[in-house]
Amino acid sequence: MKDIDVYANHQPNPVLLTRLAEKAGIPSDRLVIVGDTVGNIGAAGAPYALAAAADRGRLAPGSRVLITAYGAGLTSAGSLVTWTGAPVHHQASDDGAHAAPDQSGTPPTSP
């Protein structure tokens, strides 16, 4: 647990997640909680928490991030990643939607 810098988890219940983290010995400053503001967003909870950690400045190049999720039918998944520090680009299009960067990492240009 000491080797993990950030925990980005599926969050059906942020209170339960916080209590489980306490029992597991996970420091609260390493746990990213988003369910208290967005509710249970299902499978999107873990990547949303990862994005929130990046937006909040909680990730630095070399940070080790544990991403976990579970679902119906006792399915579960986890991934341990090392954050590269790659920039995250958001660019709103004319309709207000966010356009994704191309594979080079360069955000699309506006028309």
Side-chain angles (χ1 to χ4, degrees):
M1 300 266 186
K2 294 177 184 177
D3 295 336
I4 308 299
D5 299 306
V6 174
Y7 294 84
N9 305 293
H10 169 69
Q11 302 192 18
N13 183 325
V15 173
L16 178 62
L17 182 61
T18 301
R19 288 184 184 159
L20 288 171
E22 287 172 5
K23 288 187 182 235
I26 297 171
S28 61
D29 64 330
R30 294 184 185 187
L31 183 65
V32 181
I33 298 291
V34 294
D36 56 345
T37 57
V38 298
N40 182 0
I41 54 176
Y48 191 92
L50 181 62
D55 287 345
R56 295 173 186 171
R58 295 182 59 186
L59 298 174
S63 293
R64 293 177 56 97
V65 184
L66 181 62
I67 305 166
T68 61
Y70 67 91
L74 300 176
T75 58
S76 62
S79 181
L80 180 60
V81 299
T82 301
W83 189 254
T84 63
V88 177
H89 299 283
H90 299 282
Q91 180 176 346
S93 64
D94 291 337
D95 64 359
H98 288 288
D102 64 21
Q103 290 184 352
S104 71
T106 305
T109 58
S110 297

